[in-house]
Amino acid sequence: EDVLHTPQEDVLLNNICQTIVNTMGYPLMWIGYARDDKEKTVQPVAKAGLNTDYVDNLTVTWDDTELGQGPTGRAIRTGKTCFSANIPADANFKPWQHSALEHGFHSSVAIPLQEDSKVVGTLNIYSAIKEGFAPEEITVLEDLADDIIFGIHAISQIEKRIKAEEALQKAHDTL
């Protein structure tokens, strides 16, 4: 597919989410960016699946408060893949537990997106079954996280080049 030839980051990320949901059969996937604001919020930037309204009503942080103890917050803080293998029994998932179960989610995984040595966000994937992620699936998803960072970086470089060319053309026209 042309997923990696998308000129805009948001389109690229939403296409990746949709492709993963379609090919791997997960009910929900979203990508969140770790913001360096006071609250250390996680901002959803892309999503796909049947229950995306779950993401619309989600409050997640990557600080050390209750809202930062789920897989997403832990993955951002540690730089390691983090799970909730059994959402109904996971005390760290308490802030989102009721909504997750209403939407049919019983396990989740958060895979860090790392640029250089800094975690910039996470891939967040949900399963309708407990312990819904096999080790080989995780390996594929971790490789995908690396590919996503490469794609984001490539788009950023293209956008910088376009802006530089526009500035050069404007300077040329001025002369």
Side-chain angles (χ1 to χ4, degrees), residues 115-134:
E115 192 169 31
D116 300 321
S117 60
K118 182 181 182 192
V119 178
V120 296
T122 54
L123 302 181
N124 305 279
I125 303 149
Y126 294 76
S127 175
I129 59 173
K130 294 176 184 169
E131 299 182 22
F133 301 94

Side-chain angles (χ1 to χ4, degrees), residues 26-56:
Y26 300 119
L28 176 68
M29 177 178 172
W30 63 279
I31 296 173
Y33 282 169
R35 296 297 177 209
D36 284 324
D37 56 7
K38 183 179 156 202
E39 297 82 20
K40 294 186 176 181
T41 55
V42 178
Q43 177 187 3
V45 294
K47 61 187 176 182
L50 299 174
N51 296 301
T52 59
D53 62 315
Y54 172 81
V55 179
D56 297 336

